[in-house]
Amino acid sequence: MSVGPDKICGVVARTRHKMMQVELREAAARGAKFLEVRLDFLSKAVDFKRLQAYKGCPWMATFRRPVDGGRWSGSEAERQMVLRQAIVSGVFDWIDLETDVIENIRRFGPVKRVVSYHNMTETPQNLDEIYDKMLTQDADVYKIAVMPKTADDLQRIVEIQKRASKPTVAFAMGEFGFVTRFTALKFGAPWIYGAFNKERGIAPGLPALHEFRTTYPVRAIGPNTKFFALLGDPVGHSYSPILHNHLFRRLKVDAVYVPFRVPDGQLADATDAMNAVPISGYSVTIPHKEAAALRAKEVDPMVHIVGAANTLQARADGTFLAANTDYPAALESLRTHLDAKALSEGVKPPDFSQLFVLVLGAGGAARAIVAALVRAGSSVTITSRTPERATKLAEQIGGKSCDWQARHSIAQCDILINCTPVGMHPKVDESPVHASFLKPGLVVFDTVYNPEHTLLIRDAESRGCTTISGVDMFVRQAAKQFEIFTGIAPPLEDMRELLRKAMSPLTAAMDTEAEKSGGMGEAGENA
Ligand code: NAP
């Protein structure tokens, strides 16, 4: 039987009673079954009666000090008085009491107790001691929220999750700790916290409630759920979690995929630490692709050629197999479009060895694409804003380099491939080449996928070129990763549609709307 009222605890935190009422009502209307009411956010004296009228599900009262990430600026005596009043008010079903004050406040009636420990700056070395002491205190649920600084901090939190002998919600905060909010559920945490309104800045790394609907299927997380993660820095705006979690749901795979922001140089420590879960596989992105190749015990041949991996699959002994799915995804995108073009023109599809390709950019994406095309026999020219990177890439992988300023005067070009971020959201009115370069018949492949119709793609279409968008490559590389992770080849068209929907301005607007509170004005709230 579950300990709490629900597996999701929505957090409502506003400075005005009126706005708190609106969000409490709105959250219940949207199906919230358990809400934490952050009384410390209220700028005036708490009026329980004003809130009570809006109760639509079980509530937990929390009234935090700044040292625990709260906003209460009055005295500690006053704070404890408000906590006692909350308990006897008959308004709340749960109360959150910090481990150093819980013994001052007696259990009363049916109100259940969370004993909590917060550390907003670190994960103390004596965390196990702190937790063991908490377990002796009179509570129904034990909560630990700490700030991780090292991979070892994450591992210690996971170990606490695993050894919890009483209902415990223990996690590390921030983007580095994000994954542990979810692993807590795997190891039996009664609930996960989610902000009704993420814009309120309630706690570092706190996900938004609506993300549990759009992105993370937390209700399905159980002891057998496998974990996958996107390891990179930054990872916040990636569409990979939406894509992979959707596929897990659709194909009935008991797994979840979460972003894991790991600073440069810490891939090995982070993956070692998370073997405690374990994490079954990673998508790897900037700046870790080279480190991922080195980290693996076994690498697929494409990783060898490219010198970088975008996929790590964990094996039972804790070692990793590295793969590069950008390489085959790019080649497949090109092959599919070249074949379709030839078919429509009634000619024989060209062999890669007949083609002259100009690659813009010399970073990770360019590396995989140049390697694929050089191996396929194409004549590749690389040009990069930083000339040394293009020269180095050509020396290491093949092809030749040319000066960035000379990119428009290249003599022969059948395919132009943009491997720079130029044109990517939000700078959507930029293109890496002048439109006059785009002649009819040229194949233009823009690896940028957000937006799908970049200025380069639009210019190319209007000038009679064949175009390939980054969406096609992105979906193919993700599909190949998914197949490595699960052994299942997912439906590409379904993924394309989902990605387009997730990127559409309409969906983004709906998400922003979901984070607002019932559409009421915010003016003056923090005044
Ligand atoms: P990266 O390793 O950081 O390399 C970026 C390259 O673009 C570098 O050569 C960089 O030159 C150049 N560049 C950056 N800003 C520029 C500018 N304003 N003008 C000219 N050149 C510029 O990144 P990456 O991993 O290769 O990714 C590059 C892009 O490829 C991403 O933004 C993404 O849109 C796309 N991508 C798509 C997929 C897909 O599946 N569709 C997969 C991977 C990547 P400097 O060295 O001078 O900075």
Side-chain angles (χ1 to χ4, degrees):
M1 212 183 79
S2 129
V3 177
D6 194 36
K7 212 166 181 175
I8 296 173
C9 179
V11 186
V12 176
R14 301 300 296 233
T15 56
R16 284 166 54 198
H17 281 77
K18 193 173 159 203
M19 297 308 297
M20 189 79 105
Q21 289 167 338
V22 171
E23 287 201 357
L24 288 167
R25 185 190 57 206
E26 190 57 27
R30 289 188 199 170
K33 297 187 181 75
F34 184 27
L35 291 172
E36 178 184 46
V37 186
R38 285 293 298 269
L39 301 173
D40 54 290
F41 270 63
L42 287 167
S43 54
K44 292 203 174 137
V46 183
D47 185 340
F48 296 117
K49 283 273 173 296
R50 277 185 75 186
L51 299 178
Q52 187 169 24
Y54 294 83
K55 189 167 173 186
C57 66
W59 283 359
M60 172 154 59
T62 297
F63 197 50
R64 290 238 192 282
R65 302 165 292 205
V67 67
D68 300 314
R71 300 249 179 122
W72 170 247
S73 54
S75 75
E76 178 57 12
E78 230 179 309
R79 189 178 79 92
Q80 292 191 23
M81 192 177 72
V82 173
L83 285 166
R84 287 192 187 90
Q85 285 168 352
I87 294 171
V88 298
S89 67
V91 178
F92 298 98
D93 309 86
W94 288 75
I95 186 95
D96 182 309
L97 300 167
E98 297 76 14
T99 178
D100 58 315
V101 306
I102 193 165
E103 274 146 31
N104 303 342
I105 298 178
R106 293 226 320 269
R107 195 179 267 275
F108 176 81
V111 178
K112 293 194 172 180
R113 291 151 64 99
V114 172
V115 59
S116 61
Y117 171 77
H118 291 78
N119 193 318
M120 308 305 292
T121 54
E122 61 166 352
T123 305
Q125 283 308 320
N126 64 341
L127 187 63
D128 278 287
E129 252 173 64
I130 293 169
Y131 178 54
D132 287 337
K133 177 162 181 257
M134 287 168 72
L135 288 175
T136 67
Q137 296 179 313
D138 175 23
D140 301 280
V141 167
Y142 300 79
K143 179 188 178 190
I144 291 178
V146 288
M147 192 56 81
K149 290 206 166 137
T150 63
D152 179 59
D153 295 341
L154 299 184
Q155 184 168 351
R156 287 189 293 127
I157 274 291
V158 173
E159 298 300 350
I160 284 181
Q161 293 173 346
K162 288 167 77 172
R163 77 172 171 95
S165 54
K166 292 182 177 176
T168 299
V169 187
F171 56 86
M173 291 182 281
E175 285 183 282
F176 190 37
F178 191 73
V179 58
T180 65
R181 291 180 179 267
F182 297 81
T183 58
L185 290 175
K186 176 180 171 77
F187 299 115
W191 60 71
I192 181 171
Y193 291 89
F196 178 76
N197 190 329
K198 206 170 164 181
E199 289 168 1
R200 295 289 110 197
I202 303 168
L206 182 68
L209 270 186
H210 77 89
E211 289 177 279
F212 297 150
R213 180 172 41 80
T214 58
T215 314
Y216 307 109
V218 292
R219 289 194 187 284
I221 296 177
N224 299 321
T225 302
K226 284 190 170 178
F227 272 74
F228 295 89
L230 168 66
L231 192 154
D233 188 10
V235 288
H237 292 93
S238 170
Y239 290 96
S240 295
I242 292 183
L243 218 50
H244 284 274
N245 285 321
H246 166 83
L247 291 172
F248 289 144
R249 259 195 310 253
R250 171 136 193 228
L251 300 168
K252 298 193 175 10
V253 179
D254 184 4
V256 67
Y257 181 106
V258 282
F260 184 19
R261 183 174 177 183
V262 174
D264 199 4
Q266 293 187 27
L267 174 129
D269 287 348
T271 50
D272 274 350
M274 295 316 273
N275 271 342
V277 176
I279 304 280
S280 303
Y282 294 94
S283 305
V284 181
T285 185
I286 297 173
H288 297 293
K289 287 185 176 181
E290 281 86 7
L294 297 172
R295 172 89 185 92
K297 192 164 180 191
E298 193 185 330
V299 300
D300 81 6
M302 287 168 246
V303 172
H304 235 24
I305 299 161
V306 180
N310 72 339
T311 312
L312 285 175
Q313 187 192 18
R315 298 187 303 189
D317 62 358
T319 62
F320 290 94
L321 166 74
N324 190 311
T325 67
D326 285 337
Y327 178 126
L331 215 52
E332 258 180 44
S333 280
L334 278 165
R335 187 71 273 160
T336 307
H337 284 81
L338 291 174
D339 288 356
K341 180 173 185 267
L343 191 68
S344 71
E345 291 166 355
V347 297
K348 195 167 161 276
D351 193 88
F352 279 120
S353 61
Q354 300 166 277
L355 299 171
F356 288 83
V357 184
L358 176 61
V359 174
L360 309 174
R367 214 177 163 81
I369 287 177
V370 169
L373 287 168
V374 166
R375 293 274 295 184
S378 302
S379 304
V380 179
T381 303
I382 309 152
T383 181
S384 166
R385 186 176 64 172
T386 307
E388 303 78 49
R389 284 187 85 178
T391 316
K392 194 170 162 204
L393 182 53
E395 276 168 15
Q396 287 177 340
I397 306 247
K400 57 183 183 182
S401 60
C402 93
D403 201 75
W404 180 250
Q405 302 309 331
R407 68 194 184 285
H408 294 112
S409 33
I410 191 129
Q412 226 174 345
C413 181
D414 303 303
I415 304 176
L416 170 74
I417 307 181
N418 177 33
C419 294
T420 77
V422 179
M424 195 165 90
H425 181 82
K427 294 185 178 170
V428 294
D429 54 357
E430 293 179 1
S431 171
V433 289
H434 196 271
S436 60
F437 181 76
L438 308 168
K439 305 279 180 330
L442 180 72
V443 174
V444 176
F445 178 9
D446 196 344
T447 65
V448 171
Y449 63 88
N450 186 16
E452 180 170 17
H453 296 283
T454 57
L455 180 59
L456 172 62
I457 291 283
R458 284 183 279 129
D459 281 347
E461 276 168 356
S462 70
R463 287 176 169 257
C465 304
T466 295
T467 59
I468 309 172
S469 85
V471 164
D472 196 64
M473 176 179 162
F474 184 76
V475 159
R476 286 177 196 273
Q477 63 78 28
K480 287 176 191 305
Q481 271 180 350
F482 189 85
E483 195 169 349
I484 291 170
F485 292 158
T486 64
I488 305 169
L492 288 181
E493 200 40 54
D494 190 36
M495 293 172 71
R496 277 189 200 103
E497 239 174 72
L498 183 82
L499 184 62
R500 286 183 181 128
K501 202 168 142 211
M503 291 192 306
S504 93
L506 189 65
T507 311
M510 279 163 65
D511 281 355
T512 310
E513 187 55 31
E515 294 198 352
K516 289 188 181 153
S517 57
M520 285 189 63
E522 308 278 303
E525 191 181 354
N526 292 313

